[in-house]
Structures are given as C-alpha cells and as structure tokens.
Amino acid sequence: MRHGKYPFLVAFLAPPVALYGVYVVSPYLQAFYISLTRWSGFSGNVEFIGLANYRRLLEDDQFHTALVNNLILLACLPVITIIMGLFFASMLNIGGRRGRAGIRGVAGSAVYRVIYFFPQVLSVAIIGVLWLYLLAPGRGLVDRSLDGFWLGWLTPNEGWLGNPGTAFWWVLAAMVWMNVGFYIVLFSAGMQSIPRDVYEAALLDGASRFTTFWRITVPLLWDSVQVAWIYLAIIALDAFALVQIMLGNAGGPSRSGDVIGLNLYRTAFEAFNFGYASAMGVTLFFLTLIIAVLAMRATRRDRVEFS
Amino acid sequence: MTAATEHVTPPADAPAPAAPDAAPVPARRERLNPLNLLNSGFLVLWGIFTAFPLLWAVMTAFKTNREILSLPDCRAGWRFWVWLWCMVDPPTSLEFDNFTRAWTQASIGVYFINSIIVVSGSLVLTMLLGSMAAYALARYEFPGNRIIYFGFVGGIMFPVFLALVPLFFVVDNMKLIPVVGQYITLNSYGGLILVYVAYSLPFTVFFMSAFFRTLPTELAEAAAIDGCGHFRLFFQVMLPMAKPGLVSIGIFNFIGQWNQYVIPLVLMPDPDSKVLAQGLASLAVSMGYRGDWAALFAGLTLALLPLLAAYLLFQRQVQAGLSAGLLK
C-alpha cells in the first residue's frame, strides 16, 4: 500500500489547499499590505503611505465611536448572556429540588429548551428585520405592548431606533435575545453531567439553593462558561449584520450606533477608500487576538474531571 | 395535582407512583413552594419573550395592510380576557395573497432559489473537500503535514472583515480567467460557492480530522492487505464510518452558510443574484418605504419556515448521530 501514497496525497490535498490559499490566506496577507497604502480601488494607482492610515485612525472620531460601541458590546453581551443562561439553565434543571435530593428538571423542560433554542437557528438577517419591525414606532410589537401596559409614555418621540440614546441598546437587547437560548441549552447539558451525589452531599450539609448554585454548579461548569465567553466576545466584536439592518448603513441616528465592521464596510464599499478600510480590518484583527488571549488567561482554572 | 396530594404514601422516600415528576415528598414541604412558582413564572416569561415576537411576525403575515394600520387601544376594555385578546391581536382572516406578493413582486422566490443553489453546491463541496483534506492530514504522515494542518486550523480565529476588501478584488479578478472566469466572479453562483467552501474549510478540517483520528486503524490495515487502494479505502471504508461526524458538521455548515450575510452582501451586489438573507434585509428597507408590511412579513415567514423545519429535523438527526457515535 506504500506505493502511490504521494499521488494520492496530492490528489486529496491540492484542491482544498489551493482553494484555501486563493480565497482565505492570500486575502488575509494582502489586507496587511493594503492597509499601508492609499488606494481607491479600481484604478491601478496604489500609493504606499506607510502607517499614515493608522495615524488617521487615532484621530477619527467616528472610528472611536465604533470602537467604543464594540467595547460596550464586549463588556455587556457575554456577562448578560452568561448570567441569564446560567439562571434559566439552573431553573430548568435544579428547579424543584427540595424534598428529593439532587437535580431534577421542571415539568416540560424539553419544551422550554426547544423554544429557547429557536432564535439560534434563525439567520441574523431575519432577526435584524424582525427586531427592526418589533421596534417600529407605533405599530411595532414593543410599542403596542408598552401601550397596553400603560407604559406608552416611555417611547421616545423619534421612536426607539431613531433616538441616539436608545438605538444602540436595542441592538444589544436583540443580540442577547438571539444568543441566550443557545447557552441555556449548553449550560443545561453541562449541569446534567454533574453527578447527583455532589448535590446530595451539599443538601445533607444544609447548603441553600443559592450556595449550591454559586459553590457547586458554577465552578463545575467553568469549562462551558469559558467557551461561552470566547464565542460571545467574537460575536460582540462583529455585530455588523444586526447594526446594518436595524440602524442602516449609516449606523443609526447621528451614527451613534456604529461598529467597526460597519465603519469598515462603508469606508470600503461606499467611499472606496480601500487602504483605510483595511487598516480598520487589521485593528479589528489585533483586537480579536488580544481578547482571545486575555479570555484564555483570565478564565483559566483547574479543571474538574468526573470519573 | 389534587388527586396526588390526597393519597399519602406512607414511606416518605418511596418514588411517587402516579406522576414521577410531580415531585416533592408530601411529608416535608407543601407542594406549591412559592419559590417553584416563581421559578416557573420566569421560565414561562422567557418562553413568551422568545416565541411571541416570532408568532407576531407570522400572524402579521396573514393580515391585510388595512388591518395592520388600525391600532386598537387595549386600555379601553378592563376585562382581562378582552385586554389579552387585544394584546395578542390575531388576524381576523387569512390573507394568502400576501405570500404570492412576497414571492413574486418582492422577489423572495428568486432569492430563495439563489440561496438553495448556492448552499447545496457549497455544502456538498465543503463536505467532500473538507473530509478529503482532514483524512489525508489525520491518517498519513508526510513532511509538511503539520504546517498544512495548522494553516487550516489557524483560519478559525481570523475575523472575516480583515479579508473583506482583498476578497472582493480576488473574486472580481476571476473574470480575467478565460472561459471559466465568468462563472466564478462577482454575482455568480460559482464564485460565492467557492468562497463559502474556502471559509468553511478551517472548522470542517479541524472537526473531521479529530474524527478520523478516532476511527480504528485495524479496519484500514485489513482493507489494505486485501489490496484496497488509497482512494477506495477512503470512499468505501473510511467515509461511511465517519457518517456521524459528517452529519454533525454538515448541519453546522448548512446553518452557517445559509445564514451568511456579510460575504454575499459584498460579493453579490446585483439585485437578481441576492441570496435570501441579503434580499430580506434590502426588502425590509424598500417595503418599509412602500408601506406594504403584509408582504414583508409574509416574506419573513417564508424565510422562517424552512429553518423551523430544518431545526426539527436537525434535533432528530443529531440525536441519531450522537447515539450512533456512542454505540460504536
């Protein structure tokens, strides 16, 4: 069987490697070079300008708004989503544990899980359009519901998405809404793999529900929490689709809800300033890299193995 | 619930015979623990928060535009059921014309077919090329193996935005290739398919090579002794054995590629070549101006339903895949 190994390997590896090289590796490498140039695209006129694009980024107020918004998402989205995920997952699994030791799902927990998970399979475009119309002034579900609860006065005059003070927070709300379900299911699966005797022991020692949750459930789920943190951080650094659909290409009222991805998209495909756009892409890349390393470091703990 | 409380079982720790999940042992605590009630309240509330917006979209899809425009004031009726009915606001008649309008006039049909063509092509190609590369990297030793492997896997963590600008020009320049170029440039199915495949390879190779490594070597050796060549060994022995892994990664790639938004936005700017996600988003803007909410929501519903179907199917498939993997 030794003979013919190399022709076989070439036949199997050449097509995927070629495809990957042309469409993934070469664009990534080119991006670093393009970020050092001034290039309006279609003319062949590429001018090398060194780090001038990066210097310009430092003084670009609109880029700062976008950066700050991404950092807000980075600070809020993982925390809110993980806390809500843990909360609902523990409700589903440890719900009625009094009287009988150990964990036990509440009635109908499978049904809850199916419903909670559903937004996760929807495309982010569908969710963006849905939320755009949920928040439509007057006729949207949010305004109608608030009205029905005698809370209609809360809505700002320009509508939720027309007000610079509220628009971006609704994007965050939509992001939490679409992601929580997945983490409920993820944490829920993690909780079910925690052995019952751990809970029985805690119950015998007279631990309260709250103590059990913080001292047993959360530490034993730490691996899942760490994974969740990294995934959510990556989502928070993107946010392009929701912002673009809910707030438009401009990034909302007075561009208050801008994010880096959208700023890059506008700079490249509306202003045709490809060098500057690539500099934003490189910045985003390094931001992702830093966050990934930090997340790995900060959440590192001793693993607990159940034998 | 009342029936269960009346019959008291003498040994306190015996399992309740009638309803095993109706739970707490009666002797120690009352059945309706306020904490449990609060607990269920939260669960139901989040269920409503998740499901009702989607239900609202589907209900609006069946309304007439006149019906959508009228805004009843729910605070007028003080009786709870009247208020609730007003808040839910179901359609008074089923307006199927909205769906025809969405499918033809709003071109949801065109976008839908574009999405199906692109994703079916890219999914097949992703699975084929991904498992070929993963197999070669997982089961054969040769110089450069690790370099290629980490080259692929490293791609998982790069943000796609970094590549967006050069990618646009790479795909645009494909038109310079004689004969085949026109089929793989901007606004062509082939171009988008190849890009989807390339960007799905990192995770597919990572996942499948881990999977191929777990498969037993004895079978491959036996097949080789029987004179089975490398190609036949892969297609007739290894690939069938990797089926559970292929199902999981196939579902993962399907959802990812079907829902992709920013790549088609950049590579398919032509109105006729839009895929569903992108078409829906641009429709949301144009229909909003025209005021045809009914058609927009019908389009949204048409986009939702296949995902709902795929989701229900997906649950079953993943369970089958997992249990098959466990049995091995």
Side-chain angles (χ1 to χ4, degrees), chain B residues 166-184:
Chain B
L167 182 66
F168 174 82
F169 287 101
V170 166
V171 177
D172 186 38
N173 285 336
M174 290 293 167
K175 68 175 184 273
L176 302 175
I177 301 173
V179 190
V180 290
Q182 54 177 315
Y183 300 109
I184 53 172

Side-chain angles (χ1 to χ4, degrees), chain A residues 1-9 11-13 15-17 19-20 22-28 30-32 34 39 41-42 84 87-88 90-92 94-100 104-108 112-126 129-134 136 138-141 144-152 176-177 180-181 184 203 209 231 234 237-241 244-245 260-262 264-265 268-269 274-275 277-278 281-282 284-285 288-289 292, chain B residues 15-16 20-21 23-25 28-29 33 35-36 39-40 42-44 46-47 49-54 56-57 68-69 71-75 78 83 86-87 89 129 132-133 135-137 140-143 148 151-172 174 184 191 194-195 197-199 201-202 220 224 228 230-231 233-235 255 258-259 261-262 265-266 277-278 280-281 283-285 287-288 291 293 296-297 300 303-304 307-308 311-312 314-315:
Chain A
M1 157 142 160
R2 286 303 117 199
H3 71 272
K5 177 176 144 186
Y6 282 97
F8 162 77
L9 284 177
F12 263 41
L13 280 172
V17 169
L19 204 62
Y20 188 67
V22 170
Y23 287 106
V24 182
V25 178
S26 98
Y28 280 134
Q30 286 179 51
F32 287 95
I34 296 174
W39 183 33
F42 306 97
M84 286 180 70
F87 177 77
F88 286 115
S90 63
M91 294 261 154
L92 277 177
I94 321 173
R97 93 184 155 88
R98 287 286 162 199
R100 194 186 283 184
R104 193 175 50 74
V106 293
Y112 286 123
R113 232 165 288 179
V114 170
I115 293 175
Y116 292 169
F117 195 78
F118 189 46
Q120 191 62 36
V121 294
L122 296 182
S123 85
V124 74
I126 291 181
V129 173
L130 180 68
W131 275 80
L132 177 65
Y133 281 83
L134 285 177
R139 281 190 279 166
L141 181 64
R144 292 226 33 213
S145 307
L146 285 175
D147 223 35
F149 284 108
W150 286 265
L151 291 169
V176 171
W177 181 83
V180 164
I184 295 175
L203 199 68
R209 238 177 230 252
Y231 279 3
I234 290 171
L237 285 180
D238 181 339
F240 170 83
Q244 200 248 2
I245 295 170
I260 299 177
L262 186 60
L264 188 157
Y265 177 80
F269 301 104
F274 293 107
S278 294
V282 172
L284 189 63
F285 164 69
T288 314
L289 202 67
Chain B
D21 56 350
V25 183
R28 278 185 49 192
R29 236 163 237 267
N33 188 332
L35 218 55
N36 283 349
N39 185 343
S40 307
F42 276 126
L43 290 174
V44 170
W46 188 252
F49 262 59
T50 313
F52 192 69
L54 298 167
W56 177 73
I68 294 170
L69 271 174
L71 292 173
D73 189 0
C74 298
R75 293 170 300 179
W78 276 92
W83 174 82
C86 171
M87 289 291 274
D89 196 19
L129 294 182
M132 273 161 54
Y135 175 71
L137 293 169
Y140 290 85
E141 278 188 20
F142 57 92
I148 297 178
F152 272 121
V153 172
I156 292 176
M157 63 162 303
F158 281 70
V160 72
F161 286 97
L162 177 57
L164 217 51
V165 168
L167 182 66
F168 174 82
F169 287 101
V170 166
V171 177
D172 186 38
M174 290 293 167
I184 53 172
L194 292 180
V195 172
V197 175
Y199 281 85
L201 280 176
C228 182
H230 295 285
F231 290 93
L233 180 64
F234 175 71
F235 285 108
I255 292 179
W258 183 268
N259 291 346
Y261 182 67
V262 65
L265 191 66
V266 170
Q278 192 193 353
L280 205 62
L283 209 68
V285 178
M287 281 293 163
W293 274 43
L296 175 81
F297 277 91
L300 198 64
L304 275 171
L307 287 166
L308 175 67
Y311 170 49
L312 295 177
F314 146 95
Q315 280 217 321

Side-chain angles (χ1 to χ4, degrees), chain B residues 50-318:
Chain B
T50 313
F52 192 69
L54 298 167
L55 187 66
W56 177 73
V58 175
M59 286 191 312
T60 311
F62 286 102
K63 291 179 181 175
T64 59
N65 271 315
R66 179 194 295 271
E67 212 177 336
I68 294 170
L69 271 174
S70 73
L71 292 173
D73 189 0
C74 298
R75 293 170 300 179
W78 276 92
R79 296 223 315 284
F80 178 72
W81 292 112
V82 176
W83 174 82
L84 189 68
W85 187 257
C86 171
M87 289 291 274
V88 174
D89 196 19
T92 47
S93 62
L94 297 183
E95 202 65 32
F96 284 99
D97 184 47
N98 296 338
F99 291 89
T100 341
R101 224 161 53 244
W103 188 264
T104 53
Q105 278 177 33
S107 352
I108 286 286
V110 176
Y111 304 148
F112 212 102
I113 291 164
N114 286 343
S115 266
I116 288 175
I117 293 173
V118 168
V119 172
S120 50
S122 63
L123 193 61
V124 171
L125 212 55
T126 304
M127 303 307 286
L128 184 69
L129 294 182
S131 46
M132 273 161 54
Y135 175 71
L137 293 169
R139 306 294 292 231
Y140 290 85
E141 278 188 20
F142 57 92
N145 179 317
R146 292 292 86 187
I147 295 174
I148 297 178
Y149 177 76
F150 285 112
F152 272 121
V153 172
I156 292 176
M157 63 162 303
F158 281 70
V160 72
F161 286 97
L162 177 57
L164 217 51
V165 168
L167 182 66
F168 174 82
F169 287 101
V170 166
V171 177
D172 186 38
N173 285 336
M174 290 293 167
K175 68 175 184 273
L176 302 175
I177 301 173
V179 190
V180 290
Q182 54 177 315
Y183 300 109
I184 53 172
T185 183
L186 297 177
N187 291 318
S188 68
Y189 295 135
L192 193 60
I193 288 175
L194 292 180
V195 172
Y196 277 3
V197 175
Y199 281 85
S200 304
L201 280 176
F203 194 74
T204 309
V205 168
F206 171 71
F207 186 92
M208 286 311 293
S209 65
F211 202 88
F212 279 124
R213 247 176 251 134
T214 64
L215 294 182
T217 47
E218 292 84 1
L219 201 60
E221 279 160 12
I225 288 167
D226 287 347
C228 182
H230 295 285
F231 290 93
R232 266 190 68 198
L233 180 64
F234 175 71
F235 285 108
Q236 294 194 340
V237 180
M238 300 310 270
L239 213 51
M241 284 206 314
K243 205 176 150 201
L246 286 174
V247 170
S248 307
I249 193 72
I251 290 163
F252 179 86
N253 280 328
F254 170 77
I255 292 179
Q257 293 177 354
W258 183 268
N259 291 346
Q260 182 55 246
Y261 182 67
V262 65
I263 291 179
L265 191 66
V266 170
L267 299 183
M268 312 287 268
D270 203 50
D272 286 335
S273 57
K274 282 182 176 155
V275 298
L276 190 58
Q278 192 193 353
L280 205 62
S282 67
L283 209 68
V285 178
S286 63
M287 281 293 163
Y289 286 135
R290 239 192 288 167
D292 193 352
W293 274 43
L296 175 81
F297 277 91
L300 198 64
T301 306
L302 286 173
L304 275 171
L305 290 180
L307 287 166
L308 175 67
Y311 170 49
L312 295 177
L313 201 76
F314 146 95
Q315 280 217 321
R316 216 151 32 97
Q317 295 277 57
V318 162

